[in-house]
Amino acid sequence: MVPAESEHTGDGAVETQEQQQGGGSPVATDGEHLVDLYKKMVLIRTFEEATQRGFRQGKIGGYLHVYIGQEAVATGFLDAYKDGDKVITAYRDHPHVLLLGSDPKAVMAELYGKGTGLVKGKGGSMHLFDVENGFMGGYGIVGGHIPLGVGFAYAQRYEETDNITQLYLGDGSISNGAFHEAVNLSGLWGKDGMNPCLFIIENNQYGMGTSVERTTAMTDLAAKFNAYGVENEKVDGMDVEAVLEVAHRAADRVRETGKPYAVEALTYRTAPHGAADFFEKYRTKDEIKQWRERDPIGQLEHRLIERDVIDEDGIEEIKNEMKETMKEVVRFAEESEEPPLEELYTDVYTGGGVYTGEEG
Amino acid sequence: MPEMTYREALRAGMAEEMERDEKVLLMGEDIGVYGGTHLITDGFLDRFGKKRVIDTPIAEGGFTGAAIGMAMMGLKPVVEMMTWNFSFLAADQIIQNAAKVRYFSGGQVEVPLVIRGPNGGGVQLSAQHTHSLENMYGHFPGLKVVSPVTPNDAKGMMLTAIRDPNPVIFLEAGALYGTKGEVPEGDNAVEFGKARVAREGTDVTLISYGRQVNLCLRVAEKLEEEDDVSAEVIDLRSLRPFDSETIVESVKKTHRAVAVQEQWRWFGVASEVASIIQEQAFDYLDAPVVRVSGAEVPAPYARNLELAAFPSEDAVAKAARQVLYQEVSA
Ligand SMILES: Cc1ncc(C[n+]2csc(CCOP(=O)(O)OP(=O)(O)O)c2C)c(N)n1
Ligand SMILES: [Mg+2]
């Protein structure tokens, strides 16, 4: 591991930090910044809870995968996002796009299948996209997006920018061939400084109903990257401060060297896999309870109060405000119109052209 | 006769064959501990043990290839594709190995393999999770492709598929897992290559397979009520081998045909149906065969767009009226 100076250049200014060899000590971020991260995590949680209600009411269709329990991971890593960077993930994609600044109303409207949705009602929960804000998509095939992210990173260096790609992937995707082929490429191209790709494994312990131990005989997922010459480490993904420290250090390093780096964030989805995962036979209530005690939002809340950054009333206020905001978000989604039927035939080909199969 | 759901019928077919033949084993993602994403294999792990019910990692190419290897060694794997959408990752193994190894080994090996799972769309899963792949797999010599729609056929064709010494692509109507129907007790094996006349009629033949058969049955009732037209409905159920005879005989009687499929129009099963009819029953036709297909777009998410992308009752009825010259084509 290379010690690095972590300089936060995003909007919420943070003091530069000296990092010790090996990292691991939380960044002493200022209170204001932590409150900002806290608000972001509450936004994600509140948004996800609203989507679960929408699904139960039959207003959201298809598949719905929420990020409840994992908030610290994307929140921490996307704090290191700079303009021009690219972000790509699989189908558990609501938090990433919200953190990058998409309007929650447009995101919710997408889930409601409305014309005002982020992708015009065409993709739904699994396929959010917001290119302007750096979000290059949500993808539904496990592992399928990983090669794309490696391609983004090559393009970023090809065009001689100092941008990087944050590539999120699940523990389940490690078994997929696309993962191995793409990480090998990334390591190889990285030797020439041509692959500024930051791999972030969201290890939430399960791929649907299959635990990591039941999916591979070598369960150290970060270490899988060793086989391809990609340096790596692990982080406690329930602790946003720990994530923040690694995120900035790793992102700076990737930006500087053009070489890939991987971080395995150990986390847990306290929610079911998808909204239709009813039985959860693959894990115990006790296990969920134990992880819930380490809830990322609860942990940060506790620290903020302990450090006198905010008091309980302040916390309540943030939560209530978010609830009010979410009511408006849902109202917007509900009141929006369905996409016009003409949308069915748009966006199939670049350059337009309506191709119905009826002609000729 | 006892009633069971499509899901229970699949389960019964697999369980009975596993009891009968020790070579049969199951593999797939979350089929054991979890009980199967669609609960088809619920209880199998307890009943047959983990040697015969293998939970796999998310590695379609790897485990499908391994199943082909097992089959070449004389085992009879039944592989679950959680949905057929994920079979693209296994397509290289299915097409390059399963379909061809017997041929390029000069007949020295066989591949008694079943790959099964839900096919088709209809529940807003959008572009990457909505495919009807019968034409794709039906294209490759060496594969058999079946698509049962009733619980009786779900069980009977499962028995036949497992017993078949060739690789069988078993496309289930995922949207119909909960639907009920009569299934006789005991061995109801259904021969491949025989279509089913789902409804008899005299004026027009509606030809389909998978969940579109039920759509055609609804349209047939509507035509009866509204137009006093008697429509025959044919469920192809086996796409490779294909039953030309039943279709041709029907068209000789009705002189008019509509082929309905959920998949895209181009290079699809309905084109094959239309072609066979014009080759073998040209002189009997009173109108060109009309195809009703899915819209030529990747599947959209929004409910209204999705409905517009799939064949509807109105579209099939309109096609029927068109071949009956009750409605002028656009
Ligand atoms: C190739 C492929 N196979 C199977 C699936 C079905 N599926 C959807 S999510 C999932 C589990 C993935 O787990 P993981 O990568 O750990 O991500 P998580 O859901 O935990 O965020 C599976 C098997 C799929 N979408 N794609
Ligand atoms: Mg996981």
Side-chain angles (χ1 to χ4, degrees):
Chain A
M1 236 171 298
V2 179
E5 279 209 328
S6 162
E7 195 163 2
H8 182 87
T9 48
D11 25 46
V14 181
E15 310 101 302
T16 303
Q17 284 299 315
E18 283 286 324
Q19 292 307 320
Q20 297 139 4
Q21 178 89 29
S25 67
V27 179
T29 33
D30 66 29
E32 206 179 313
H33 187 200
L34 280 182
V35 171
D36 178 53
L37 293 174
Y38 177 77
K39 284 184 182 166
K40 286 177 170 163
M41 293 203 288
V42 172
L43 162 71
I44 297 168
R45 179 73 54 95
T46 317
F47 184 90
E48 296 293 45
E49 286 168 353
T51 68
Q52 289 181 312
R53 281 192 296 277
F55 190 88
R56 280 195 293 270
Q57 293 165 355
K59 292 173 180 166
I60 294 175
Y63 291 146
L64 179 79
H65 308 91
V66 299
Y67 208 68
I68 294 176
Q70 303 178 213
E71 291 90 345
V73 182
T75 306
F77 274 100
L78 288 174
D79 197 72
Y81 176 86
K82 276 190 182 177
D83 267 356
D85 286 357
K86 298 294 174 210
V87 177
I88 184 169
T89 188
Y91 45 81
R92 204 177 292 286
D93 57 354
H94 311 165
H96 308 83
V97 80
L98 290 172
L99 288 163
L100 286 169
S102 299
D103 182 352
K105 287 182 175 164
V107 182
M108 189 64 82
E110 183 58 38
L111 308 195
Y112 275 65
K114 299 301 177 71
T116 53
L118 198 63
V119 297
K120 304 187 261 186
K122 282 173 147 165
S125 164
M126 293 192 288
H127 302 303
L128 300 173
F129 241 98
D130 189 346
V131 172
E132 211 169 290
N133 282 312
F135 190 63
M136 299 298 282
Y139 297 80
I141 301 301
V142 171
H145 67 293
I146 304 173
L148 305 188
V150 171
F152 299 162
Y154 191 91
Q156 285 168 324
R157 277 298 144 115
Y158 188 92
E159 302 287 4
E160 297 175 2
T161 72
D162 73 340
N163 284 120
I164 70 169
T165 294
Q166 287 198 18
L167 199 168
Y168 292 79
L169 56 143
D171 48 282
S173 69
I174 300 285
S175 306
N176 185 291
F179 166 78
H180 295 274
E181 296 180 27
V183 177
N184 185 53
L185 282 175
S186 182
L188 185 67
W189 292 342
K191 286 202 322 188
D192 300 329
M194 290 297 283
N195 219 254
C197 186
L198 177 54
F199 293 93
I200 298 143
I201 310 173
E202 296 167 324
N203 180 358
N204 61 6
Q205 317 298 324
Y206 292 91
M208 210 170 259
T210 304
S211 64
V212 173
E213 299 76 59
R214 294 202 296 113
T215 221
T216 178
M218 205 290 277
T219 54
D220 183 340
L221 302 187
K224 303 256 179 197
F225 287 83
N226 290 336
Y228 306 110
V230 177
E231 289 187 60
N232 56 80
E233 67 183 284
K234 293 177 195 297
V235 68
D236 176 0
M238 304 303 268
D239 178 350
V240 75
E241 286 184 279
V243 175
L244 202 63
E245 186 275 318
V246 179
H248 284 276
R249 180 162 46 76
D252 288 350
R253 175 193 163 126
V254 167
R255 210 179 291 285
E256 220 158 274
T257 61
K259 291 185 195 310
Y261 192 77
V263 181
E264 177 187 0
L266 296 158
T267 182
Y268 198 79
R269 87 177 140 65
T270 42
H273 164 75
D277 173 16
F278 303 116
F279 305 109
E280 301 195 55
K281 275 193 279 188
Y282 52 88
R283 59 182 187 180
T284 62
K285 289 222 160 61
D286 198 49
E287 179 185 298
I288 301 173
K289 197 176 140 229
Q290 281 181 17
W291 279 94
R292 220 170 243 152
E293 279 162 15
R294 309 197 40 235
D295 182 81
I297 296 181
Q299 276 197 57
L300 182 57
E301 206 168 287
H302 193 77
R303 281 187 207 162
L304 289 174
I305 293 171
E306 215 174 46
R307 293 182 203 160
D308 276 332
V309 177
I310 196 168
D311 58 12
E312 310 232 352
D313 289 345
I315 293 282
E316 266 321 287
E317 203 177 306
I318 291 174
K319 287 186 170 169
N320 287 336
E321 249 174 54
M322 203 55 77
K323 272 189 197 137
E324 288 310 309
T325 309
M326 210 49 63
K327 276 185 198 157
E328 266 174 55
V329 166
V330 170
R331 190 178 314 122
F332 174 81
E334 288 189 348
E335 288 173 1
S336 291
E337 301 287 332
E338 290 187 314
L341 282 178
E342 304 84 73
E343 278 296 347
L344 186 58
Y345 289 102
T346 63
D347 306 320
V348 181
Y349 293 99
T350 300
V354 178
Y355 186 71
T356 62
E358 306 286 344
E359 62 276 84
Chain B
M1 235 187 282
E3 277 220 328
M4 58 171 85
T5 61
Y6 191 101
R7 175 183 285 112
E8 288 162 345
L10 290 169
R11 210 180 275 160
M14 287 191 284
E16 283 174 28
E17 251 348 68
M18 286 183 84
E19 292 288 0
R20 209 182 58 79
D21 185 349
E22 277 196 4
K23 302 274 191 199
V24 181
L25 74 158
L26 309 184
M27 56 199 285
E29 292 157 19
D30 280 321
I31 64 165
V33 173
Y34 195 85
T37 323
H38 307 281
L39 297 177
I40 308 297
T41 53
D42 200 21
F44 276 60
L45 179 62
D46 289 343
R47 191 164 158 191
F48 297 103
K50 81 178 222 193
K51 188 175 153 200
R52 296 183 73 191
V53 180
I54 307 172
D55 269 325
T56 66
I58 309 168
E60 287 81 3
F63 69 71
T64 304
I68 297 167
M70 292 178 191
M72 289 167 68
M73 296 293 285
L75 299 182
K76 297 181 181 172
V78 179
V79 171
E80 173 169 302
M81 276 301 148
M82 188 179 283
T83 75
W84 276 97
N85 306 293
F86 312 137
S87 76
F88 293 114
L89 285 85
D92 177 62
Q93 291 295 333
I94 299 171
I95 293 164
Q96 294 287 25
N97 290 330
K100 300 172 183 166
V101 66
R102 178 167 178 76
Y103 192 79
F104 67 65
S105 70
Q108 293 185 55
V109 292
E110 57 189 35
V111 184
L113 167 73
V114 180
I115 309 177
R116 53 152 289 271
N119 179 52
V123 283
Q124 282 187 272
L125 296 181
S126 68
Q128 291 190 314
H129 281 75
T130 305
H131 294 92
S132 297
L133 296 182
E134 50 281 353
N135 66 323
M136 174 174 138
Y137 288 114
H139 190 60
F140 293 99
L143 299 176
K144 294 192 176 181
V145 180
V146 299
S147 176
V149 69
T150 65
N152 178 66
D153 287 350
K155 183 182 168 199
M157 296 183 94
M158 180 57 74
L159 294 178
T160 307
I162 298 175
R163 292 170 192 169
D164 198 305
N166 296 290
V168 177
I169 303 296
F170 197 95
L171 305 169
E172 296 160 7
L176 305 182
Y177 280 145
T179 55
K180 282 194 168 174
E182 290 188 339
V183 180
E185 284 195 56
D187 191 329
N188 70 327
V190 173
E191 196 188 336
F192 289 174
K194 290 265 178 277
R196 178 178 72 97
V197 178
R199 182 188 200 272
E200 293 200 18
T202 51
D203 301 331
V204 57
T205 306
L206 308 179
I207 302 153
S208 180
Y209 56 93
R211 76 182 174 111
Q212 308 305 324
V213 171
N214 291 346
L215 173 73
C216 289
L217 287 169
R218 289 197 298 275
V219 172
E221 307 241 307
K222 183 178 166 138
L223 291 172
E224 183 97 65
E225 274 166 35
E226 293 175 14
D227 300 21
D228 202 21
V229 160
S230 161
E232 180 145 303
V233 176
I234 293 180
D235 169 12
L236 291 170
R237 71 180 174 178
S238 171
L239 302 165
R240 192 176 187 122
F242 190 89
D243 179 2
S244 304
E245 197 184 322
T246 302
I247 303 172
V248 168
E249 285 312 308
S250 176
V251 172
K252 283 181 179 172
K253 178 173 69 175
T254 63
H255 310 288
R256 302 156 197 279
V258 174
V260 184
Q261 63 181 16
E262 184 174 306
Q263 65 179 194
W264 297 296
R265 168 185 305 257
W266 289 85
F267 318 114
V269 173
S271 309
E272 214 51 56
V273 169
S275 179
I276 285 167
I277 294 171
Q278 73 84 21
E279 280 167 358
Q280 299 184 30
F282 184 75
D283 290 337
Y284 295 88
L285 277 177
D286 283 344
V289 180
V290 169
R291 292 170 291 164
V292 180
S293 315
E296 296 284 321
V297 301
Y301 166 70
R303 189 68 187 144
N304 65 326
L305 297 186
E306 186 184 55
L307 286 172
F310 287 136
S312 62
E313 282 181 35
D314 283 347
V316 177
K318 185 170 175 236
R321 287 169 182 145
Q322 190 182 321
V323 299
L324 287 155
Y325 295 119
Q326 292 179 358
E327 189 156 326
V328 181
S329 71

